[in-house]
Amino acid sequence: MEQLSDEKLIARYLRGDEAALEALVKRYLPLVYGFATRYTGNPDNAADIAQETFVKVWKNIRKFDQKRSFKSWIFTIAKNTALDWLKKKKEPPFSAFETNEGENPLENIADTLVLSSIAIDQKILAAKMDVVIQNLPKHYHTVVTLREKEQLSFREIAKKLHAPLNTVKSRYRRALHILKGSLNKKQG
């Protein structure tokens, strides 16, 4: 079952084969968990996000448009689940840091509004990049995704795609050129 494509596993699951969904979970759990860990910086929270992601996949797989990439769909769900987690994350009230003398040691901490603004800008740029990457021709999209999201080397990508190493490198360079052009158009 592990060698079946995502599309075939989805089709089998929709016909009632529960093992097909288990195979999809087994295939994507490490990737989703890794993504959530990088996103939150906390393995426990990442495990919760990964679990919630797969519950959402299970609940919505019948609505999945099989003309789209399952991997992109599941990572979109994981990203949205992580964003929801970040929104729900409760910060302790400011008064919780006061000492018995009524002093607040946090008053001497530098303003991080600028850093927050940079982080938001980076998230917006990453979201734009995701959209542009999704619109790349499939052979470019695949190479960029394997390189950037799965952190594979060019040699590993070539082996996985059964393609010559120089072809993979060339596709990656062309994809970056297209991405740069697309982002420049969007910013202009």
Side-chain angles (χ1 to χ4, degrees):
M1 190 109 28
E2 293 174 12
Q3 62 274 23
L4 293 177
S5 68
D6 294 346
E7 295 80 15
K8 288 182 181 175
L9 288 171
I10 293 167
R12 287 179 81 152
Y13 174 71
L14 293 175
R15 288 192 306 265
D17 184 354
E18 296 288 329
L21 183 62
E22 289 176 28
L24 283 169
V25 170
K26 185 177 177 184
R27 180 176 293 168
Y28 285 102
L29 181 59
L31 298 172
V32 170
Y33 175 76
F35 168 80
T37 301
R38 286 190 303 278
Y39 212 85
T40 65
N42 182 308
D44 293 331
N45 294 332
D48 291 344
I49 290 168
Q51 181 178 0
E52 190 173 337
T53 297
F54 283 101
V55 168
K56 289 177 181 179
V57 167
W58 173 71
K59 285 181 177 179
N60 295 296
I61 197 162
R62 295 192 187 289
K63 299 176 191 172
F64 171 64
D65 178 3
Q66 294 189 29
K67 294 178 195 120
R68 293 186 57 214
S69 162
F70 178 75
K71 185 174 186 177
S72 297
W73 184 67
I74 198 169
F75 273 99
T76 299
I77 292 172
K79 180 178 72 175
N80 290 337
T81 302
L83 286 171
D84 290 346
W85 175 83
L86 287 171
K87 288 177 193 171
K88 286 186 225 172
K89 185 176 149 187
K90 298 205 181 204
E91 298 296 327
F94 201 68
S95 62
F97 294 102
E98 288 185 6
T99 64
N100 289 338
E101 294 81 37
E103 294 177 10
N104 191 327
L106 296 180
E107 290 174 353
N108 297 325
I109 295 178
D111 183 6
T112 59
L113 184 58
V114 174
L115 295 177
S116 297
S117 175
I118 291 169
I120 289 169
D121 288 345
Q122 288 174 337
K123 286 183 182 177
I124 291 169
L125 180 61
K128 287 179 182 177
M129 283 293 290
D130 284 345
V131 170
V132 174
I133 289 170
Q134 292 303 316
N135 292 325
L136 284 173
K138 185 174 172 108
H139 58 282
Y140 294 148
H141 171 265
T142 302
V143 171
V144 170
T145 301
L146 291 173
R147 179 76 175 162
E148 300 302 325
K149 300 249 187 215
E150 292 188 27
Q151 303 290 310
L152 296 181
S153 69
F154 289 120
R155 196 168 303 287
E156 292 169 321
I157 295 168
K159 186 176 180 181
K160 188 169 190 163
L161 297 179
H162 306 292
L165 179 61
N166 287 335
T167 300
V168 169
K169 289 180 180 179
S170 175
R171 286 179 183 169
Y172 184 76
R173 280 192 304 275
R174 287 181 187 147
L176 291 181
H177 181 73
I178 293 168
L179 290 171
K180 185 177 177 183
S182 295
L183 287 175
N184 286 339
K185 286 179 191 174
K186 288 184 186 268
Q187 290 177 354

